[in-house]
Amino acid sequence: MSGYKTFTMIKPTAVKNGHIGSILDMINNAEFRIVAMKLTKLSYERAEKFYSVHKEKPFYQDLCTFMSSGSIVAAVLEKENAVEAYRKLIGATNPDNAAEGTIRKLYATSLQENAVHGSDSDENAIIEGDFFFSTLEKY
Ligand code: CMP
């Protein structure tokens, strides 16, 4: 059965470029409920831990450097079939392949700086949400 939660981060370039409001607007318009949200910054070590599934990939260190380079917005979102619905809203990982009108098509500047992260499974949505938020911070 599909889950109700997903996790997202608005990445440093999208935050620096002033897109927090527009991206949250798209999330609201797509009828996700924001369960938890914070503006924060990852250390390099925390970014390494968050993206540890990619540690063998050639882009891992660059990704961790980028993700710890500035403020991010982390949020847990709720909606029926949330993981798939959110991946549809954000578009393909590589913005060159993202559909028109998706968050990445509108706000990504490159494959690495692709505006937002979205969980790829129900299991990872829970792990990633718990990485940033305690039970008391989720409503
Ligand atoms: P994200 O959804 O945050 O999950 C992992 C991230 O790794 C991905 O978005 C991209 O920012 C980055 N990524 C994935 N593939 C590549 C690649 N081939 N080169 C550089 N960065 C990548």
Side-chain angles (χ1 to χ4, degrees):
M1 202 186 89
S2 298
Y4 279 84
K5 283 190 173 58
T6 192
F7 171 80
T8 189
M9 286 185 285
I10 303 178
K11 297 190 178 187
T13 314
V15 170
K16 275 191 199 109
N17 290 343
H19 298 315
I20 295 175
S22 307
I23 291 171
L24 292 180
D25 209 31
M26 289 179 74
I27 289 170
N28 277 326
N29 289 341
E31 298 184 343
F32 287 88
R33 194 172 80 79
I34 296 171
V35 177
M37 185 164 68
K38 64 173 83 164
L39 178 75
T40 185
K41 191 170 185 289
L42 284 167
S43 64
Y44 184 85
E45 291 71 25
R46 293 263 296 157
E48 277 188 309
K49 194 164 176 211
F50 184 87
Y51 280 114
S52 59
V53 65
H54 295 300
K55 65 173 179 279
E56 306 302 334
K57 306 266 176 64
F59 57 81
Y60 178 60
Q61 289 183 352
D62 273 358
L63 179 64
C64 295
T65 299
F66 164 60
M67 287 303 296
S68 56
S69 69
S71 301
I72 59 151
V73 173
V76 176
L77 308 175
E78 205 169 68
K79 184 180 171 144
E80 195 168 335
N81 201 10
V83 167
E84 195 183 326
Y86 192 62
R87 288 172 77 80
K88 196 166 174 203
L89 179 68
I90 66 182
T93 306
N94 186 337
D96 290 343
N97 304 327
E100 290 299 328
T102 58
I103 291 175
R104 284 172 169 157
K105 190 68 176 183
L106 289 165
Y107 301 116
T109 53
S110 69
L111 170 56
Q112 179 173 265
E113 305 190 17
N114 60 351
V116 287
H117 167 79
S119 303
D120 63 3
S121 66
D122 294 340
E123 189 191 4
N124 282 338
I126 301 302
I127 293 169
E128 291 172 358
D130 289 349
F131 185 91
F132 281 92
F133 301 100
S134 71
T135 307
L136 284 173
E137 293 173 306
K138 285 181 254 174
Y139 301 97

